[in-house]
Amino acid sequence: MTAFPLMRTKWSNEHVMTGLFKVLILYLVPNWFENPMMILLFMAVVCSGLLVDVIANLIRYKRPICGVSAAVTAGIIHIVALDVPLYGQIAGVATALIVGKHLFGGTGKNIFNPAVIGILGLRFFYNMDLAIMAPSYFILPAVVLSLAFVKYRPVAALSFMTGMTLALIMSESMSMMMVIEYGVVFWGCLVLTDPVTVSLDPRIGLIFGLILGFVPLYLFDSIIALLIGILALNAISYVYERYSTKGIVNRGLSFKNNRIKALSDELMLSDGLIEEQYLALDALEEPSTSEVLERVSKSGVVGLGGGGFPTYKKIETVLDSQVNQKHLIINGVECDPGLIHDKWLMRRRSEGISKGIGILKRLIDFDSLTLAVKDKSDLEFSNDILIHQVKDYYPVGSEKILIRELLDRDLGRSIPAEQGILVLNVQTVYAIYEAVYYNKASDTKYLTVADVTAGTGYVTKVKLGEKIKEVVESIYPNSIQVFVGGGLMQSRIADEEDVIERNTNFIAIGDKPRYKESPLCSKCGMCEVHCPSKLKVRRITELIDQGSIEQAKELGGLECMSCGSCSYVCPAGRNLSSRLAFVKGFNIL
Amino acid sequence: MNKVYRDFFNDKEVLFVGYSSRNKGFCNGIHEAFSKHGIKVYPLNTKKSGNHDVKVYGGYEELPNVPKTAYILLNKGNTNKAVQELLKQDVKRILVHNKSHIDASVLSQCETKGIEVTAGCPMMLFGGGIHKVHGFFAGVN
């Protein structure tokens, strides 16, 4: 069974394209006031585009597919070729969609911008200027709204507009009207931002955007030069994206406004559990290294942040590590937007956590000791523990990202413990304290039980091996859909027989988000922009879908940390992280 | 054969025969629509291939219990085979996605055994938007 984020972006490719189509209409409105018959002309062109697209998609997918991208292509062609007769425009749209899009395999698979191909085709039969628009201030709303699309390829769009503006300045014809007339913003924001055909790499966007904006206008004043230039950029982008192996942008996700909120400060206990039930019957106040390791091992303490790796082995590795400097990082970041129990533990069990840290300090002579948190207000820890408030983004709490944030070290594929860096979750430290001081078996754990629809949850203490269904029933009775996993960003539907495992951190009820698994990837690159491992997510998942697992591994598929960011942001509604988990040969949960 | 109706799912659990990874988006949509209306879904696919978001049972023996209501999303040949298999189980109600997918002889077998068979897409009942429109024109409510 695959895991997935229990929430995802509200945006879809169809939303974006519909927005773009509306902006295109705004470009035409001034013309429609002058000549209302133009509305019929526009509708005829758009309908012809939709018809071609529907037929092609029915042949390819055997079912209707949203044709809004075809409407956008038709709209762009109509705006640029406004003086071309209707039959010419229809022929241009058909050429654009058949030659520019469907011959390459349909939406998202084309190398060249279909609208540019259609316009270039028309240019061979009809005369067209580089000045594509009638200078009118009524076009300004469309120009302003066009700027919203810069976000898809910001560097390419801004460079292109800069290049064209420079050309206008150097030819001493710079004015607002000229900017409108030459479609500086139109080309820059609506054509150069096409994610399917323009590379995400800002270097390509910067160089070719500038050249494309400047040269065709300044040297040739020719629309053919511009169109051929765009097609050349498309070809370069294709080759680059096809053969590059690493992403270059890494932007974390912010969940400041949509986190699970604690409904109560009280701890929920599953059946038969009593908090603090153990007594100091077998307490060790000053344990030796071997006593600590023995108790941690015998108690079965494992990484409770989700790793599930035996803690005594991790400590031993750091002890044996032959490095000059050793560091202890207590991870209380809890960056997943669904989790609330680490925050609760740090405020309600700070004494135990402090004693756990004390045990580790006596064990290893650390050069630094840091407690990493998202919010350090109300925390009560002794002064020798450095509390570091990290930037609030997801997945900053991931081990290697946290090391990068705190120690400014990129470990690559190295194991942190082998490098002398001991990273332990706060709950693991608390379990060490319980094991060493009270010889308590690590057979319970704190986790979050939430209602994702309401956005609220409870900190709950449960027994390992307890049935998930029973835990949920005691808090949210009669729930139909139950999820279990490491957090809101990586959960799966719970099975009837599922039990609390050591790596279970999150149980939730609510509705499963809609993953429509659209076949139409727009290559927007959001999956790559938000991948903390800088993977070429789109290319890797494409290879997985084709069954080329080995090639996917060669592209770094094994480096995926299963954070779920790619699935969260994908506007095509694809659960990409589950595909990557498949490459690793297992589902992470 | 009657069209599907809301009370058909009064048991609040349904066996989904033919939950396929090839048709993942659609199957997911139906699963979510059922779940949102408080109906527990038991997806079944005897081929059991693919990477699913939900637990898909590979056979009747794997099911914790066989629901009394079943929904079949299969082609014609497989629908008839699936109905034959459901006749062996204690299923009381069967919804087929398309009424042309079930043979008259199989239908009369069901009638003889007192099993109610209806046809239609469950999205017409539990989906939104265009599915509701489809349901309206198909006379499903």
Side-chain angles (χ1 to χ4, degrees):
Chain A
M1 227 188 303
T2 56
F4 45 84
L6 292 182
M7 60 178 182
R8 52 179 303 271
T9 177
K10 291 183 175 65
W11 286 95
S12 70
N13 289 326
E14 288 75 19
H15 282 126
V16 176
M17 294 308 271
T18 306
L20 181 50
F21 185 69
K22 287 175 182 169
V23 171
L24 290 175
I25 288 175
L26 282 180
Y27 274 100
L28 292 164
V29 167
N31 281 321
W32 292 353
F33 274 116
E34 281 177 23
N35 182 2
M37 287 302 286
M38 296 293 281
I39 298 173
L40 292 178
L41 188 70
F42 173 72
M43 286 170 69
V45 174
V46 170
C47 288
S48 65
L50 287 171
L51 187 67
V52 171
D53 204 50
V54 164
I55 293 169
N57 280 328
L58 276 176
I59 294 168
R60 173 164 288 114
Y61 298 110
K62 312 280 186 291
R63 64 187 168 104
I65 297 279
C66 179
V68 65
S69 64
V72 167
T73 302
I76 291 174
I77 292 173
H78 178 69
I79 289 170
V80 178
L82 208 56
D83 297 331
V84 172
L86 175 63
Y87 60 86
Q89 290 190 34
I90 291 174
V93 170
T95 306
L97 294 172
I98 295 168
V99 179
K101 190 161 91 168
H102 287 288
L103 281 184
F104 288 97
T107 303
K109 296 182 178 67
N110 48 304
I111 298 173
F112 302 105
N113 188 312
V116 173
I117 286 190
I119 298 163
L120 191 61
L122 283 177
R123 178 60 188 84
F124 289 121
F125 300 99
Y126 301 98
N127 194 26
M128 278 187 237
D129 287 335
L130 188 54
I132 54 170
M133 304 210 184
S136 162
Y137 280 113
F138 291 112
I139 288 178
L140 269 181
V143 170
V144 172
L145 288 172
S146 299
L147 294 170
F149 296 90
V150 163
K151 71 172 274 195
Y152 290 96
R153 291 295 180 267
V155 180
L158 294 171
S159 303
F160 176 86
M161 290 190 284
T162 308
M164 246 189 166
T165 309
L166 276 176
L168 286 173
I169 293 168
M170 288 176 71
S171 55
E172 295 178 358
S173 49
M174 177 63 191
S175 71
M176 190 63 208
M177 278 304 132
M178 292 302 271
V179 168
I180 291 173
E181 206 175 329
Y182 278 97
V184 174
V185 178
F186 175 84
W187 290 110
C189 297
L190 306 185
V191 178
L192 266 285
T193 52
D194 175 21
V196 177
T197 56
V198 177
S199 171
L200 185 65
D201 193 312
R203 293 169 298 190
I204 290 181
L206 179 70
I207 298 165
F208 292 96
L210 269 175
I211 295 171
L212 262 180
F214 185 79
V215 174
L217 176 56
Y218 188 72
L219 295 184
F220 302 105
D221 196 8
S222 153
I223 195 168
I224 291 186
L226 176 64
L227 297 172
I228 290 174
I230 294 173
L231 295 181
L233 168 63
N234 295 164
I236 290 162
S237 296
Y238 173 75
V239 173
Y240 178 80
E241 290 295 326
R242 180 74 180 75
Y243 295 103
S244 64
T245 55
K246 273 280 177 193
I248 51 168
V249 193
N250 171 23
R251 207 182 300 152
L253 293 168
S254 173
F255 294 116
K256 277 178 187 160
N257 299 320
N258 43 2
R259 291 184 186 288
I260 294 290
K261 291 175 183 66
L263 257 186
S264 159
D265 215 20
E266 294 304 309
L267 178 69
M268 304 291 278
L269 293 161
S270 62
D271 278 355
L273 274 186
I274 305 164
E275 184 57 344
E276 310 297 316
Q277 56 185 306
Y278 47 84
L279 299 168
L281 296 176
D282 200 10
L284 283 178
E285 286 296 339
E286 291 292 333
S288 67
T289 302
S290 60
E291 279 174 326
V292 168
L293 289 176
E294 192 190 336
R295 285 210 168 181
V296 171
S297 166
K298 274 190 178 173
S299 299
V301 180
V302 297
L304 294 170
F309 191 76
T311 302
Y312 81 94
K313 279 193 180 175
K314 210 170 183 180
I315 297 171
E316 273 182 345
T317 308
V318 177
L319 275 166
D320 297 341
S321 164
Q322 301 298 315
V323 293
N324 293 331
Q325 289 195 324
K326 293 186 179 178
H327 306 275
L328 172 61
I329 297 172
I330 312 298
N331 189 349
V333 174
E334 207 169 44
C335 59
D336 185 281
L339 303 180
I340 52 175
H341 57 272
D342 280 353
K343 185 180 177 186
W344 184 93
L345 270 172
M346 285 187 291
R347 280 151 183 87
R348 295 302 193 94
R349 300 289 179 269
S350 58
E351 196 183 332
I353 294 168
S354 296
K355 285 185 176 172
I357 294 171
I359 294 166
L360 295 165
K361 266 167 63 183
R362 286 194 293 276
L363 214 58
I364 303 169
D365 184 21
F366 290 109
D367 291 89
S368 74
L369 194 168
T370 314
L371 170 63
V373 295
K374 244 179 359 227
D375 172 19
K376 61 180 179 183
S377 59
D378 310 331
L379 284 180
E380 288 175 11
F381 287 93
S382 60
N383 291 335
D384 58 334
I385 299 170
L386 173 67
I387 301 177
H388 185 103
Q389 187 167 313
V390 295
K391 278 181 249 169
D392 188 3
Y393 69 88
Y394 180 82
V396 66
S398 165
E399 192 174 56
K400 286 184 179 171
I401 295 177
L402 193 57
I403 291 169
R404 203 167 61 203
E405 283 283 324
L406 298 180
L407 304 176
D408 199 22
R409 283 177 64 180
D410 197 343
L411 294 187
R413 290 187 177 185
S414 312
I415 296 167
E418 288 176 356
Q419 302 300 312
I421 305 168
L422 181 61
V423 184
L424 294 172
N425 173 264
V426 279
Q427 192 174 172
T428 312
V429 177
Y430 189 68
I432 291 172
Y433 152 73
E434 289 184 315
V436 174
Y437 274 72
Y438 303 111
N439 210 10
K440 181 189 173 293
S442 184
D443 56 358
T444 58
K445 77 173 294 177
Y446 296 86
L447 48 73
T448 304
V449 181
D451 177 346
V452 289
T453 311
T456 54
Y458 296 95
V459 178
T460 310
K461 190 176 181 182
V462 294
K463 286 175 283 190
L464 294 180
E466 194 175 352
K467 276 197 171 182
I468 303 277
K469 203 179 164 186
E470 287 168 10
V471 175
V472 172
E473 195 61 23
S474 65
I475 299 173
Y476 298 113
N478 305 318
S479 299
I480 294 286
Q481 193 96 283
V482 179
F483 306 96
V484 60
L488 193 66
M489 289 298 283
Q490 277 298 277
S491 284
R492 61 175 170 78
I493 293 175
D495 188 12
E496 296 281 315
E497 301 303 314
D498 272 328
V499 295
I500 305 282
E501 308 272 2
R502 291 182 193 279
N503 58 359
T504 307
N505 271 324
F506 185 68
I507 300 172
I509 62 157
D511 296 329
K512 182 175 178 282
R514 183 92 171 90
Y515 287 94
K516 61 180 178 179
E517 295 290 342
S518 167
L520 311 181
C521 167
S522 68
K523 296 185 183 174
C524 63
M526 286 296 118
C527 52
E528 291 171 21
V529 167
H530 292 286
C531 176
S533 302
K534 294 186 181 178
L535 299 179
K536 301 290 281 184
V537 181
R538 187 189 59 76
R539 181 77 188 122
I540 293 172
T541 51
E542 197 175 80
L543 288 166
I544 296 164
D545 286 345
Q546 290 163 5
S548 309
I549 305 298
E550 286 309 312
Q551 277 179 275
K553 284 180 182 172
E554 281 168 24
L555 262 179
L558 295 174
E559 290 171 39
C560 168
M561 57 174 72
S562 299
C563 66
S565 300
C566 49
S567 298
Y568 173 85
V569 295
C570 179
R574 293 174 158 194
N575 186 3
L576 301 170
S577 60
S578 75
R579 289 165 166 85
L580 285 151
F582 183 68
V583 168
K584 291 161 90 173
F586 60 93
N587 289 327
I588 194 73
L589 303 168
Chain B
M1 195 184 341
N2 287 331
K3 285 170 185 164
V4 65
Y5 55 95
R6 200 167 281 265
D7 288 350
F8 193 78
F9 298 96
N10 271 354
D11 282 352
K12 294 291 176 194
E13 58 177 18
V14 62
L15 177 66
F16 187 155
V17 185
Y19 193 97
S20 150
S21 58
R22 267 197 314 179
N23 209 359
K24 196 172 179 178
F26 189 56
C27 289
N28 267 344
I30 292 174
H31 187 285
E32 286 154 25
F34 274 132
S35 300
K36 274 186 182 170
H37 286 80
I39 299 164
K40 171 93 181 146
V41 185
Y42 294 89
L44 181 86
N45 188 332
T46 47
K47 288 182 185 162
K48 212 182 177 181
S49 57
N51 214 10
H52 293 286
D53 290 351
V54 296
K55 181 176 171 74
V56 179
Y57 297 93
Y60 291 92
E61 66 288 349
E62 289 182 19
L63 289 162
N65 64 301
V66 180
K68 302 285 181 215
T69 309
Y71 161 59
I72 306 173
L73 181 63
L74 291 168
N75 60 25
K76 188 167 183 174
N78 287 331
T79 298
N80 285 309
K81 280 185 208 162
V83 174
Q84 294 292 353
E85 189 58 45
L86 288 169
L87 289 174
K88 293 178 199 164
Q89 312 293 329
D90 196 20
V91 171
K92 300 291 181 204
R93 286 167 295 276
I94 299 172
L95 166 65
V96 290
H97 195 83
N98 190 324
K99 66 179 175 187
S100 67
H101 284 181
I102 187 164
D103 290 341
S105 58
V106 180
L107 202 56
S108 66
Q109 263 183 288
C110 292
E111 278 174 21
T112 311
K113 290 203 170 192
I115 295 167
E116 185 186 3
V117 182
T118 59
C121 173
M123 294 300 274
M124 292 192 289
L125 283 175
F126 303 119
I130 197 151
H131 298 291
K132 284 274 181 216
V133 177
H134 184 199
F136 174 77
F137 285 110
V140 171
N141 50 47

